[in-house]
Amino acid sequence: MKKRISILGSTGSIGTQTVDVLGSINAEVTALTTNKNIKLLEQQARKLKPKLVAAFDEQAAKNLKIALADTNIKVESGMDGLIHAAAMEDTDVVVTAVVGMVGLMPTMAAIDAGHDIALANKESLVCAGSIVTEAARKRGVKILPVDSEHSAIFQCIQAAQGNRLDKIILTASGGPFFGKKYDELKCVTPADALKHPNWSMGAKITIDSATMFNKGLELIEAMWLYDMPQEKIEIVVHRESIIHSLIEFEDGGILAQLDVPDMRLPIQYALTYPKRFPCKMERLRLTDVGTLTFFEPDEIAFPALKLARQAASLKGNMGAVMNGANEAAVELFLKEKIGFLDIPELVNRAMQEIKHTNDITLDDVIIYDKQARELVNSAFKR
Ligand code: MG
């Protein structure tokens, strides 16, 4: 049966790889969105013929409308455009490949519309995990992970035959600064941080990978996706990025999912689950890899891991606070306004200064996210 797919963030790293796997599966695209890369969006739209496209940036949307004037594709802008693309009629699954908290409202709109979610936007689960998973459960909507680690866990769970997981082991590449001590990280630049050893990704996630906030966000993502307390999720540094994650059962048996580091398999599996189809990516040859290595993560050099565990055990508003502060701090770092170690420092300050509350609504998430960003931006101005 043909899968009808809306792709939010189709011009980014995950978005373009999603478009790439469409050729291997029976799919029809109903909507595409970008922030402001309208040149690529126009090309994609002409090829895939969605009913709706949207650019988050207002000016970009105006130019896109002119560019697509000879077609009957509807062009929208801003958060409304993103939400309409997410809630698009005649759609089976929405790929949420936008970066950051901006993905939360569209994800909720897609769930409300009854569409399954191929989730690449981890920030929406970090900020509002309880709200998103509860809404999906009530609406009978599946959240299919696209993140490689979470896809690995999901693939292993298919072989678990309903047996209870005792533990999740999340693998981490360690990023470009693996092995460096805290003091050695003082002077690293955005250019240093943007050199990732195994994965080619957008700037925000690459910086998150360097600070290890990415793994922290993924810890919280795994906690919500698999209903697992944070202390049952272990993080192991695995430099080769061949084992994408593992699950452990009560009897001590462990299952792992392996392949070459290529996002096309997790993306494709989220779109074809529970079936598997041939995938364009290179096959893993174990003898070419030879050795797999594993290390304990360094929580002193990378305080993000501790902060994420704190946010994960406190829950309530702390996910939104941690994430909002991190997004604001990463922006400042990329503009070279703050140092690398200021990122966890500012996130820590936001988590200390903003009071923890439990039971939160969607509106609260937006308020706490804003508060955390303001706190980071004003701390930097002081
Ligand atoms: Mg990942």
Side-chain angles (χ1 to χ4, degrees):
M1 209 180 74
K2 198 169 240 188
K3 267 265 160 81
R4 299 165 303 175
I5 304 170
S6 162
I7 310 171
L8 310 181
S10 64
T11 58
S13 171
I14 298 293
T16 50
Q17 293 179 83
T18 304
V19 170
D20 195 27
V21 303
L22 292 180
S24 313
I25 61 178
N26 187 11
E28 173 194 326
V29 170
T30 58
L32 296 169
T33 82
T34 185
N35 180 20
K36 50 183 164 187
N37 187 353
I38 56 166
K39 218 174 154 178
L40 180 54
L41 194 81
E42 183 194 344
Q43 282 173 22
Q44 292 177 336
R46 289 190 184 279
K47 189 173 152 218
L48 301 167
K49 303 187 171 40
K51 289 191 198 96
L52 171 73
V53 296
F56 190 66
D57 183 89
E58 300 286 341
Q59 188 54 48
K62 277 185 193 145
N63 295 335
L64 183 61
K65 201 163 193 167
I66 296 165
L68 289 173
D70 61 311
T71 70
N72 49 17
I73 299 169
K74 203 168 165 208
V75 180
E76 293 194 12
S77 68
M79 184 52 86
D80 281 351
L82 234 64
I83 287 175
H84 290 159
M88 198 64 196
E89 60 195 14
D90 302 327
T91 296
D92 302 306
V93 57
V94 179
V95 180
T96 63
V98 296
V99 178
M101 153 81 181
V102 71
L104 176 59
M105 296 318 257
T107 303
M108 291 302 292
I111 293 171
D112 285 343
H115 305 334
D116 287 338
I117 308 289
L119 186 101
N121 176 252
K122 56 191 92 181
E123 291 90 345
S124 52
L125 274 192
V126 172
C127 292
S130 60
I131 298 167
V132 172
T133 50
E134 173 70 3
R137 196 187 55 77
K138 275 197 181 143
R139 194 71 176 76
V141 156
K142 288 193 217 43
I143 300 182
L144 303 153
V146 167
D147 212 345
S148 60
E149 296 79 358
H150 305 76
S151 173
I153 297 162
F154 184 63
Q155 292 177 57
C156 290
I157 287 174
Q158 307 315 310
Q161 304 255 10
N163 282 296
R164 202 176 70 78
L165 309 194
D166 186 51
K167 209 164 112 186
I168 284 173
I169 304 169
L170 268 186
T171 54
S173 73
F177 304 137
F178 170 74
K180 287 213 187 314
K181 295 288 159 223
Y182 187 80
D183 286 337
E184 295 174 81
L185 294 173
K186 223 173 256 165
C187 298
V188 302
T189 64
D192 298 329
L194 288 170
K195 286 181 208 131
H196 195 277
N198 303 337
W199 298 99
S200 136
M201 311 172 286
K204 162 48 170 70
I205 186 172
T206 309
I207 301 300
D208 283 347
S209 181
T211 57
M212 293 202 76
F213 262 112
N214 184 50
K215 212 46 58 180
L217 300 176
E218 289 183 354
L219 170 93
I220 301 176
E221 186 186 5
M223 170 179 89
W224 291 117
L225 279 174
Y226 304 113
D227 194 19
M228 191 62 102
Q230 62 86 15
E231 60 274 17
K232 289 275 189 183
I233 306 172
E234 188 184 321
I235 295 171
V236 172
V237 176
H238 166 48
R239 294 294 284 160
E240 296 81 10
S241 298
I242 295 294
I243 297 184
H244 296 301
S245 277
L246 315 89
I247 61 174
E248 186 172 325
F249 298 102
E250 286 170 294
D251 59 6
I254 294 179
L255 294 185
Q257 189 267 331
L258 295 76
D259 64 59
V260 296
D262 187 322
M263 288 308 295
R264 286 176 295 183
L265 174 60
I267 293 167
Q268 180 171 307
Y269 189 62
L271 296 176
T272 63
Y273 164 83
K275 290 215 161 71
R276 286 178 181 267
F277 291 92
C279 184
K280 277 196 226 168
M281 70 175 201
E282 191 193 318
R283 293 291 177 98
L284 172 66
R285 285 181 53 90
L286 287 171
T287 47
D288 286 350
V289 179
T291 310
L292 298 177
T293 58
F294 305 94
F295 304 90
E296 202 82 60
D298 180 350
E299 292 195 359
I300 295 170
F302 302 97
L305 296 173
K306 251 192 200 145
L307 294 170
R309 287 211 184 267
Q310 265 173 39
S313 41
L314 288 168
K315 301 192 183 72
N317 62 341
M318 272 304 130
V321 169
M322 184 191 87
N323 182 71
N326 180 52
E327 284 191 33
V330 168
E331 249 173 69
L332 292 175
F333 175 69
L334 284 170
K335 290 180 187 153
E336 300 191 49
K337 303 235 161 123
I338 61 170
F340 185 74
L341 292 175
D342 294 329
I343 301 174
E345 181 49 45
L346 288 168
V347 174
N348 182 33
R349 201 183 298 178
M351 288 174 66
Q352 298 300 324
E353 287 186 23
I354 298 173
K355 209 172 146 266
H356 171 243
T357 56
N358 262 319
D359 304 316
I360 48 158
T361 63
L362 206 52
D363 290 338
D364 296 332
V365 170
I366 293 173
I367 292 166
Y368 285 113
D369 169 75
K370 201 168 156 228
Q371 260 184 35
R373 286 169 198 265
E374 281 169 4
L375 202 142
V376 166
N377 288 318
S378 67
F380 148 72
K381 274 179 208 130
R382 275 208 287 270

